[in-house]
Amino acid sequence: MDMTRIRDRMVVHQLTRRGIGDRSVIEAMRTVPREKFVAPGFEEFAYEDAPLSIGEGQTISQPFIVALMLEKAGLKPGDKVLEVGTGSGYASALMSRIARQIYSIERHERLALQARERFETLGYHNIDVRVGDGSKGWPEAAPFDAIVVSAAAPEVPSALKEQLDLGGRLIIPVGRSQEQRLKRVTRTSPTAFDEDDLGGVVFVPLIGEDAWTAAHPMYTATVPSPGTLASGPASLPNAQEKGMGTIDKSPALPEGVLDHTEFQQRFWVVQRLSWIMFTLLLATCLLGLLGRGGPFSRQTLLLSDGSVDFPIISRWNAPEDMTVNFTASSEDRVFTVDAAFLQTFSVQGIDPPQKATFAREGRIGYVFPADPGRPTQIVFRLQTQLAGARRATIGLGGEVRSQSTFIFP
């Protein structure tokens, strides 16, 4: 298999045609062999427009997302860069072809050691790897010209901001699983930072002291609450502002005329509430037609081994969830998808993680442990990729179904 040709085709179809224009990023993507950074047996899928599992509940991000983050980081040849979340090492390898020195932090020791071995084998000697809490950064090596974080935090960690050099750029996804936004934080002075919103994304959670807790990654972290606004006494009227703060009683109505003021006030309150309820109902219907969890945006497929709750209407570049429900079984359960599915949606995370993953006859299978005592629910966190009408084949066990979906541009 000619990986060089496949790599060039990936650059053209997945990067340049979708707006990636940074020449240094494109050249790095043409140079670094992504097939060396995926699990054995997955080499043929290395250049698909989709993330792949690398173990420890982590993934190697799809090529477009990696290229987008590096482009937005604005890397230059003399830069010193920190990456939080080494993973397979692919993003570090790309950055090492652009910048002067890369410092990379990984929480999982096994992944860090594997990445270090890959760097040595490929001759990428300007990358330092350590095992540690990425939310705390790498203070000894600071300041950095750029920091790229490959996992989502509840908010931008202050330690990472403080380790930026003046003019440094921090690229980080922020938010919960369905509300993540890719942020670019630029240090404009010793105490000031500019923040840009680069769009919606879906990443695995950043685990650390200044991020999510390891006990329950996306929901049990203690996030600092917004500052409380103190409400003091209202400013007193100026003594010269005669009449302020006083209310003159209205003159009595002529005899025989009914005062409808109270009735009119109640009528207007009821009318406003009715308009609000109508607007909310209309918005709910529109959201259903346009995707993102509305009443008409999903369909449940019933199969002999369970069911799949599948998004059939969505919006481009928006996060989605697909829920797979397995019936109770004493044998491991298998969920399969084809290449068309991965072109339509990229899998950003699986909760709970799969037991194993395999590739066979152009399809990717996810294996989940048996549970004879009760049904099992699996949530696939997805990211929409291509606008327009699409068709994909998905299956549970040996049974498959074709499902149509439409993604609004």
Side-chain angles (χ1 to χ4, degrees):
M1 186 178 294
D2 185 358
M3 288 298 184
T4 301
R5 182 177 59 84
I6 297 176
R7 196 179 306 127
D8 288 340
R9 185 172 60 188
M10 177 269 291
V11 169
V12 173
H13 289 274
Q14 299 181 33
L15 305 185
T16 58
R17 289 187 181 180
R18 293 165 72 179
I20 301 298
D22 189 309
R23 291 183 178 274
S24 61
V25 173
I26 291 174
E27 184 58 31
M29 300 289 280
R30 288 188 190 276
T31 303
V32 175
R34 193 171 191 258
E35 69 274 13
K36 302 295 185 182
F37 294 87
V38 301
F42 283 80
E43 290 84 357
E44 63 178 304
F45 298 100
Y47 295 101
E48 294 288 340
D49 187 27
L52 294 173
S53 173
I54 58 174
E56 307 289 348
Q58 307 300 303
T59 60
I60 176 175
S61 298
Q62 68 186 104
F64 173 74
I65 290 295
V66 177
L68 176 66
M69 295 177 73
L70 300 191
E71 182 176 64
K72 297 302 182 181
L75 303 182
K76 300 178 181 62
D79 282 353
K80 181 170 62 173
V81 183
L82 170 67
E83 184 194 22
V84 176
T86 311
S88 69
Y90 180 60
S92 291
L94 292 170
M95 290 187 282
S96 75
R97 304 301 88 194
I98 304 171
R100 172 175 57 89
Q101 184 67 37
I102 311 300
Y103 295 86
S104 192
I105 306 177
E106 172 56 51
R107 188 170 68 95
H108 300 282
E109 183 177 9
R110 186 178 68 85
L111 295 181
L113 293 176
Q114 289 178 346
R116 186 177 296 164
E117 290 177 3
R118 293 186 179 110
F119 300 149
E120 290 295 329
T121 301
L122 295 170
Y124 299 159
H125 300 304
N126 60 335
I127 307 175
D128 289 337
V129 182
R130 73 154 49 167
V131 178
D133 183 353
S135 69
K136 292 295 187 180
W138 196 321
E140 301 88 344
F144 299 100
D145 300 293
I147 300 176
V148 177
V149 184
S150 301
E155 59 184 9
V156 181
S158 57
L160 298 183
K161 294 172 65 174
E162 291 304 320
Q163 290 175 33
L164 282 176
D165 202 352
L166 189 62
R169 293 81 55 199
L170 165 61
I171 306 297
I172 181 172
V174 176
R176 296 179 182 271
S177 58
Q178 296 301 317
E179 304 166 356
Q180 293 177 14
R181 308 295 296 181
L182 187 63
K183 303 285 188 178
R184 177 173 59 195
V185 179
T186 305
R187 187 166 203 165
T188 56
S189 76
T191 58
F193 300 86
D194 283 346
E195 185 174 296
D196 298 313
D197 189 325
L198 304 178
V201 291
V202 179
F203 277 79
V204 297
L206 175 64
I207 307 299
E209 186 177 338
D210 289 348
W212 304 108
T213 66
H216 198 5
M218 289 302 264
Y219 301 102
T220 61
T222 302
V223 182
S225 58
T228 305
L229 295 177
S231 55
S235 51
L236 297 174
N238 191 295
Q240 296 179 352
E241 295 173 345
K242 187 177 180 180
M244 289 188 66
T246 63
I247 302 177
D248 294 329
K249 292 184 178 181
S250 300
L253 293 171
E255 186 178 353
V257 177
L258 297 176
D259 185 358
H260 294 286
T261 303
E262 184 176 355
F263 169 79
Q264 289 175 340
Q265 289 175 344
R266 293 180 179 178
F267 172 81
W268 285 112
V269 169
V270 172
Q271 187 182 55
R272 289 190 181 98
L273 289 175
S274 299
W275 275 109
I276 292 173
M277 293 176 64
F278 173 78
T279 303
L280 291 175
L281 180 61
L282 180 61
T284 301
C285 293
L286 289 176
L287 284 175
L289 293 175
L290 297 178
R292 300 302 298 275
F296 311 112
S297 67
R298 308 184 69 81
Q299 179 174 336
T300 301
L301 304 178
L302 300 177
L303 296 91
S304 57
D305 290 339
S307 64
V308 180
D309 182 34
F310 188 89
I312 58 173
I313 301 177
S314 186
R315 290 203 298 269
W316 177 77
N317 202 29
E320 285 283 4
D321 273 356
M322 177 178 67
T323 304
V324 179
N325 295 290
F326 288 105
T327 57
S329 173
S330 59
E331 297 181 356
D332 287 348
R333 278 73 59 85
V334 177
F335 174 81
T336 59
V337 297
D338 60 1
F341 178 91
L342 295 177
Q343 290 175 358
T344 306
F345 299 93
S346 66
V347 180
Q348 297 292 321
I350 304 175
D351 188 20
Q354 69 276 24
K355 176 180 178 181
T357 310
F358 64 88
R360 184 183 304 148
E361 298 177 355
R363 295 171 63 79
I364 292 183
Y366 300 87
V367 182
F368 299 93
D371 190 343
R374 60 179 180 178
T376 301
Q377 185 177 85
I378 309 296
V379 178
F380 284 74
R381 296 191 297 274
L382 309 173
Q383 181 79 10
T384 55
Q385 298 298 307
L386 302 175
R390 304 287 166 184
R391 194 165 185 83
T393 301
I394 59 180
L396 295 183
E399 187 178 3
V400 298
R401 292 282 182 85
S402 292
Q403 175 63 53
S404 297
T405 185
F406 187 86
I407 300 177
F408 284 87

